[in-house]
Each structure stands twice: as structure tokens, then as C-alpha cells.
Amino acid sequence: MNRLRTRLALAGAAALAAVTTFSGLTGTAVATEAQAAPATQAQTAPVTSIGTALIREDSDFLRRSAEAGIFVVPLPPGTVGFDPAAGFSGTFPVTGATGVLREYYGTVQLGGSLLAVNVRTGRTVLFQQLAFDVDNWQLTGVPLGSTAPVGLLEPTESSLVVNGAVNSLTSTGLAVNASGAQYLDSKLATSFFAAGSQIGSFALNYTQPAA
């Protein structure tokens, strides 16, 4: 295995370990902000899915984030995947769509949470109520303890295919949102995130609910 593949494998292992630890699968309590998350019925109830959203980090971003001690991982019902060649990915169920993607308005709701960790500073940020804001063409999340969503990622180079009620969005680029970069740098005590920097790709597929 060459040096790059070794780094990616180690980064993937660390990301998977973070998912295991911070999702409570090992019985370890989540530190700082995540400790305050209430165990509500909504968090434990089965999620009804009408599709999936896939966020993929390319190998270059994964290498740079690992070197900086930064990991961003999905929590259940989101799932994590890792491939040494393709990179790290997070898959989230689509739980609702209060708008029409092809007409560029509304919101697509996603299940799961997104945890950002700086292993060097011990800081964490937990984003809940994940969504794709169609109006502003960005992925958003509400930080734990807040009610206002933060723009996190912006799909670029996008193509949309609509077949009846089935919507399929494919974006070969995925950039860090300016507000998300500022928020993450502040909360994680880092200067790693930069507005407009590319992290990978995005795919969204779901069946539009009947009006």
C-alpha cells in the first residue's frame, strides 16, 4: 500500500472510530455539546425514508482533514462508508420534501446528524435537522442548542433528472459554504475550513410526496 493509501486508510479508520464513539455504540458519552442532546422519541423512532442523500469526501480533502485532526462524520440514522480509493462518504435518509426540487423552491429534509470533531482541541459541533435548502441551493444543519440553520455545503456542477415523482440530483462538486466555514472554524478552534473549498460530491434521490 502506498503512502497516500496508507494515510487514507488510517483516516478512514479514525472516522469510523469517531462514529462508533460519538454515536454511543461503545457506551462512551459524547463530550461537550453532544452531552446535552435529549433522548427524545423522535431520535429513537424508526425513520420513514423516501430516498437518500449521499455526501462523498474525495481523497484529497480526507487527507488534508486527517492531517489537521478534523473529522466530520454522520450519526444514525445516517451511515458512514469508506473506500481507500474513493474516500469517505455519509449517507442520510430523505424523510420529507416540502417543496419541489425541479422548480427550485422548498426544502428536502434529511434524517440523522452530522458531527464535526477537532481531535487536537477536543472541540465538537453537532448539527441536527439536516436539510437541503433548495431556495439557496445548500445543505444546512441546526447546531445543537440553536434553532437557526447554518449553511454548510453548496453542491456545484449539478444536473437534475425528474422521472415522474422521482427526483435525482447529481453534483460532481461540493463546496464549503462561507457561513459554514466561519462557524466551524470558530466552534472547533481551527483555521482549516475555507469558503469555496471543494470537498467532494453530492447525490440526492427521492420520490416527491403527493401534494
Side-chain angles (χ1 to χ4, degrees):
M1 184 180 291
N2 62 31
R3 182 175 298 177
L4 176 59
R5 286 181 175 270
T6 300
R7 284 180 175 177
L8 292 179
L10 291 174
L16 290 170
V19 172
T20 301
T21 300
F22 286 94
S23 64
L25 297 179
T26 63
T28 303
V30 178
T32 62
E33 293 186 34
Q35 273 188 321
T40 64
Q41 182 178 0
Q43 290 173 317
T44 57
V47 174
T48 300
S49 175
I50 60 173
T52 59
L54 173 67
I55 298 173
R56 184 176 297 281
E57 297 178 4
D58 61 32
S59 58
D60 178 64
F61 178 80
L62 182 56
R63 174 186 55 79
R64 290 187 292 108
S65 64
E67 290 174 346
I70 302 293
F71 295 97
V72 183
V73 293
L75 297 183
T79 58
V80 59
F82 175 73
D83 183 300
F88 173 74
S89 64
T91 302
F92 302 89
V94 176
T95 58
T98 55
V100 181
L101 188 61
R102 63 183 173 184
E103 296 179 9
Y104 300 98
Y105 80 88
T107 304
V108 178
Q109 294 83 29
L110 309 180
S113 306
L114 201 60
L115 179 71
V117 182
N118 185 341
V119 297
R120 294 183 177 176
T121 64
R123 299 281 191 92
T124 65
V125 179
L126 181 65
F127 294 99
Q128 301 173 311
Q129 301 177 46
L130 302 179
F132 180 57
D133 179 349
V134 184
D135 297 79
N136 297 298
W137 208 252
Q138 62 184 4
L139 286 155
T140 66
V142 178
L144 184 66
S146 176
T147 58
V150 174
L152 299 174
L153 299 167
E154 300 174 355
T156 62
E157 303 296 325
S158 302
S159 61
L160 174 63
V161 175
V162 178
N163 185 4
V166 178
N167 293 260
S168 299
L169 172 67
T170 302
S171 301
T172 57
L174 189 61
V176 177
N177 181 279
S179 61
Q182 183 178 24
Y183 188 91
L184 286 164
D185 276 349
S186 173
K187 292 297 184 179
L188 297 180
T190 182
S191 58
F192 173 75
F193 294 94
S197 61
Q198 292 289 326
I199 76 159
S201 61
F202 177 65
L204 175 65
N205 299 277
Y206 69 94
T207 301
Q208 184 74 39

